[in-house]
Amino acid sequence: MPRARERGAGGGGREVKITFLIHNAYGIGGTIRTTLNLAAALADRHDVEIVSMLRHRARPRFAVDPRVRLVPLVDLREGSPDAADPRLHEPAVAFPAAEKRYRQYSRLTDLRAEEYLRRCTADVIIGTRPGVNVYLARFGPRGALRIAQEHLTHDAHSKRLRAALARHYADLDAVVTTTEADAAVYRARMPLPGVRVVAVPNVVPEPPIPPSDGAATVIAAAGRLVRGKRFDLLINAYGQVAAKYPEWTLRIYGAGPERERLTELIGERGLDGRARLMGARSPIETEFAQAAIVASASTAESFGMTLAEAMRCGVPVVSTDCPLGPAEIITPGVDGLLVPVDDGQALAGALLELVSDETARRHMGQAALVSARRFDPGPIAGRYERLFAELAESRRTRSRSTVWRRRLRRVLRR
């Protein structure tokens, strides 16, 4: 790998310096969680750093492995020097305007990202959202392996943003999606000659708590309270469960703009006290382990972290078969059930199937524990290490080929 260093005595293998670029490591979200998980897994063998474009609080909400350095670039906290910098209020130029987070970026963010990347000495740099990946393509050192992770699906980006990404991603070494289905879409719709497009699932560590025994009369769900998660559909489906099994409750974990509307819906359906909005929780596994079923009614998922986290807790999952993640996580009838998107009757039927059959729930929960091992940190970190090695070898091959072509041209000129 580029600039690889031998590990110290007893370390074994080769150590590289790996830098992750993230939007805001101090918040709550699936990308933050999985980046911290992967960074910790790679820190077993490598020198790992996470660079947060923004910082809005003193400490991260999620625990950061002590072996992983966290470097914020722009401090948004009241009273910080950056908060008084006039460039913070100037629009970003390098960050793509079509990116959903564009208004959170500024000329100051542009300049800090460029300054950091120009002097970065990492062997591998991994961006974790589209606009940050553009920073990496524009300013990242050519000597490093530069990799764009995509935690959103190709089709979740606007046409305008996809056009911008195609231009910049062509300068990177690889694009990594979280599902094989999304990788196939990128290969078909965003041709990137010479750029590897591969799928590597998210790291989902084994939680340090006992798994669910399947006996609790609780259905759980988690995620941002936004329309795309279709918690309204889930509440309506749960209403059919509650009518037949009044002892069963629904707990929805998360925060977001739909909270008021969902609260009203719960009241309208006469489900007060049985369907409850619990607010955000971290770690969510503690809550999932107290449930017998975890449900998702989303219209789209780039991966489906909550599904994998639930399975890690020995809980079977009922999910819509939405693009693109659930079908690669759940084996229907084995560790969970899949239902069509936007089909409230099918969702209610799947929930009733598991609610009414404790034996099936327990068997699926045990199967979920086994199948979720594929998200162990070690194997996922190993897939990234192999990718780094393959990209480095590809570079050497291209470099030798370039040298040979130059020599041939010199010979032909004589």
Side-chain angles (χ1 to χ4, degrees):
M1 298 180 206
R3 300 193 299 274
R5 295 173 295 278
E6 295 293 338
R7 286 181 63 91
R14 294 174 70 83
E15 177 186 274
V16 297
K17 181 177 180 181
I18 302 167
T19 293
F20 288 89
L21 308 177
I22 195 167
H23 167 63
N24 189 339
Y26 295 81
I28 291 179
T31 299
I32 302 169
R33 205 157 66 244
T34 191
T35 299
L36 293 174
N37 289 343
L38 178 57
L42 289 167
D44 285 341
R45 287 170 46 84
H46 305 288
D47 178 7
V48 182
E49 175 178 82
I50 295 175
V51 175
S52 182
M53 299 294 115
L54 304 175
R55 176 185 191 174
H56 71 290
R57 65 196 313 269
R59 294 182 180 178
R61 293 184 182 273
F62 294 126
V64 180
D65 189 296
R67 299 169 300 175
V68 176
R69 294 184 304 282
L70 179 58
V71 179
L73 295 188
V74 175
D75 192 342
L76 301 177
R77 292 176 293 171
E78 186 176 352
S80 72
D82 289 345
D85 192 317
R87 295 173 297 179
L88 184 63
H89 306 290
E90 297 175 10
V93 175
F95 195 88
E99 228 264 33
K100 292 178 181 178
R101 298 278 188 180
Y102 176 73
R103 292 185 180 278
Q104 297 181 39
Y105 283 73
S106 65
R107 189 63 186 136
L108 182 60
T109 325
D110 284 352
L111 295 171
R112 290 283 172 79
E114 180 177 5
E115 178 186 13
Y116 174 83
L117 287 167
R118 296 291 190 202
R119 57 181 173 79
C120 182
T121 60
D123 304 298
V124 180
I125 309 175
I126 302 173
T128 59
R129 72 167 297 114
V132 173
N133 294 336
V134 170
Y135 279 159
L136 176 57
R138 292 185 62 162
F139 308 129
R142 297 301 189 266
L145 293 177
R146 298 178 299 163
I147 298 171
Q149 279 184 348
E150 273 289 354
H151 293 272
L152 295 173
T153 65
H154 173 277
D155 292 349
H157 302 320
S158 68
K159 184 176 180 180
R160 184 180 167 204
L161 179 58
R162 291 198 297 264
L165 296 182
R167 291 194 304 272
H168 292 289
Y169 281 11
D171 292 329
L172 300 176
D173 292 282
V175 174
V176 178
T177 66
T178 56
T179 65
E180 294 289 351
D182 201 30
V185 173
Y186 270 91
R187 294 186 196 108
R189 302 185 191 173
M190 189 184 289
L192 299 167
V195 179
R196 286 281 300 279
V197 178
V198 298
V200 182
N202 288 332
V203 170
V204 185
E206 180 180 6
I209 53 174
S212 169
D213 62 7
T217 55
V218 176
I219 299 168
R224 281 273 294 161
L225 303 185
V226 294
R227 288 186 181 271
K229 296 295 184 180
R230 291 306 311 269
F231 288 116
D232 57 333
L233 192 77
L234 176 58
I235 290 168
N236 285 330
Y238 164 72
Q240 296 186 45
V241 174
K244 292 186 177 182
Y245 299 91
E247 72 277 16
W248 278 75
T249 60
L250 172 65
R251 299 175 184 172
I252 298 175
Y253 299 92
E258 288 287 287
R259 184 179 181 88
E260 183 176 345
R261 188 174 78 90
L262 295 174
T263 300
E264 292 175 356
L265 178 62
I266 289 170
E268 291 168 4
R269 297 293 183 268
L271 298 172
D272 287 310
R274 291 189 286 174
R276 299 172 58 195
L277 304 180
M278 309 295 291
R281 294 286 194 279
S282 178
I284 192 61
E285 290 91 342
T286 303
E287 312 303 331
F288 283 168
Q290 298 176 44
I293 303 167
V294 167
S296 171
S298 291
T299 57
E301 289 285 352
S302 57
F303 177 68
M305 278 290 286
T306 58
L307 304 180
E309 288 165 336
M311 292 167 68
R312 274 298 205 179
C313 297
V315 182
V317 289
V318 174
S319 174
T320 49
D321 189 11
C322 63
L324 293 162
E328 293 188 22
I329 295 175
I330 299 167
T331 302
V334 176
D335 48 29
L337 298 172
L338 291 173
V339 299
V341 175
D342 293 329
D343 190 334
Q345 286 301 120
L347 181 59
L351 292 174
L352 284 166
E353 180 180 335
L354 292 184
V355 164
S356 64
D357 192 338
E358 184 175 346
T359 300
R361 287 201 313 273
R362 290 179 184 273
H363 285 318
M364 284 191 182
Q366 289 298 315
L369 276 176
V370 174
S371 63
R373 291 174 188 162
R374 66 190 187 276
F375 306 123
D376 279 350
I380 301 299
R383 290 175 68 169
Y384 270 96
E385 289 177 322
R386 289 193 292 276
L387 175 62
F388 301 159
E390 290 165 4
L391 292 174
E393 179 57 31
S394 175
R395 271 197 175 186
R396 283 192 288 269
T397 301
R398 291 197 305 269
S399 177
R400 287 194 293 267
S401 176
T402 299
V403 170
W404 181 84
R405 286 197 301 271
R406 286 173 180 168
R407 288 176 178 170
L408 180 61
R409 283 197 297 270
R410 284 199 297 269
V411 170
L412 292 174
R413 289 194 195 104
R414 294 174 184 170

